[in-house]
Amino acid sequence: IFNKDLGQHILKNPLVVNGIVEKANIKATDVVLEVGPGTGNLTVKMIDKAKKLVAIEMDPRMAAELTKRVQGTAEQKKLSIMLGDVIKMDLPYFDVCVSNTPYQISSPLVFKLLCHRPLFKCALLMFQREFALRLVAKPGDPLYCRLSVNCQLLAKVEHVMKVGKNNFRPPPKVESSVIRLEPINPPPPVDFEEWDGMLRICFMRKNKTLAANFKTQSVLDMLERNYKTYCALNDICLMDAFNIKELVQQVLEEAGFAESRAAKMDIHDYMKLLVTFHEKGLHFR
Ligand code: SAM
């Protein structure tokens, strides 16, 4: 009866359910967005606390199950179900998000939520353990990666609880964790595409120096193309002696990160680096 492709593992342990609901700290004025409600074990615990709950569910059988479960209760009017794939949908307004979805959509879901406007108060998200640990990893942690930096640029991230496989029916193959996201409001004034473009290069080999990563020919070609466009648009004449490799190394030296390694740099380091690139007219898109 459960659809493995849709990651249908139902949360059975009421302690875990209650722990998530408690951490969500739902107020009577809040609109809750629940992604992947399944049979509604979390839904029924949240709906009486909220002003309204919007559930996004891909499986019509699950949606029917959930409808049945609240039918005839006082909460029935507060529930609306949107049928479909959360990644392909326009999200409605919400204050708090709670989600327990298949692990394939973890990364797109995090960034879909963080790009949603207006910003929400917080999100409680169940993820595969390793993915959750990547989200919260700090500089120097073995799991610190581009995902950690991108997520922590836009949100405060906290590991809330470990959830073992046996809390689910049927049990999944992997261990899970719940994390809490709180968007930084207002968001930092960073062009996310530029930011991510730069991070991709820094993290190509996260334990190598930036100077080494930025000597890659395809990287230099890309930066040179973008630089020429930038110069053309801003009426800047290219010097005869122009050398992209030297210019890039000059930026790294000036920012003080030529010998730094991505694995050890924090958000402020990356912000300083991006500003220094921009000051020299170097762009990542
Ligand atoms: N929240 C319930 C619980 O904790 O017991 C069920 C969780 S179950 C792990 C995942 C649910 O997400 C399933 O009901 C599945 O049909 C639904 N789902 C899977 N992919 C989805 C998607 N892309 N968009 C919306 N719902 C999805």
Side-chain angles (χ1 to χ4, degrees), residues 3 5-12 17 20 34-43 56-60 62-63 82 84-89 98-105 126 168:
N3 183 335
D5 293 337
L6 290 181
Q8 290 177 345
H9 304 279
I10 299 302
L11 196 46
K12 283 293 177 194
V17 172
I20 295 173
E34 186 182 3
V35 185
T39 54
N41 288 353
L42 276 157
T43 323
I56 300 183
E57 172 57 62
M58 199 156 160
D59 184 345
M62 289 290 182
M82 294 168 71
D85 181 346
V86 63
I87 300 303
K88 296 189 183 141
M89 256 191 232
V98 171
S99 151
N100 178 8
T101 43
Y103 297 139
Q104 305 86 278
I105 65 167
M126 177 87 72
F168 298 93

Side-chain angles (χ1 to χ4, degrees), residues 35-97:
V35 185
T39 54
N41 288 353
L42 276 157
T43 323
V44 295
K45 291 277 169 69
M46 299 195 289
I47 199 162
D48 51 346
K49 299 192 193 313
K51 181 171 109 187
K52 189 173 147 48
L53 188 150
V54 184
I56 300 183
E57 172 57 62
M58 199 156 160
D59 184 345
R61 296 173 318 152
M62 289 290 182
E65 188 78 18
L66 180 60
T67 307
K68 235 176 31 193
R69 195 160 170 184
V70 296
Q71 222 157 48
T73 70
E75 271 71 44
Q76 185 180 354
K77 289 191 307 300
K78 293 193 200 168
L79 174 69
S80 63
I81 302 180
M82 294 168 71
L83 207 51
D85 181 346
V86 63
I87 300 303
K88 296 189 183 141
M89 256 191 232
D90 287 332
L91 300 181
Y93 175 91
F94 63 97
D95 301 291
V96 174
C97 174

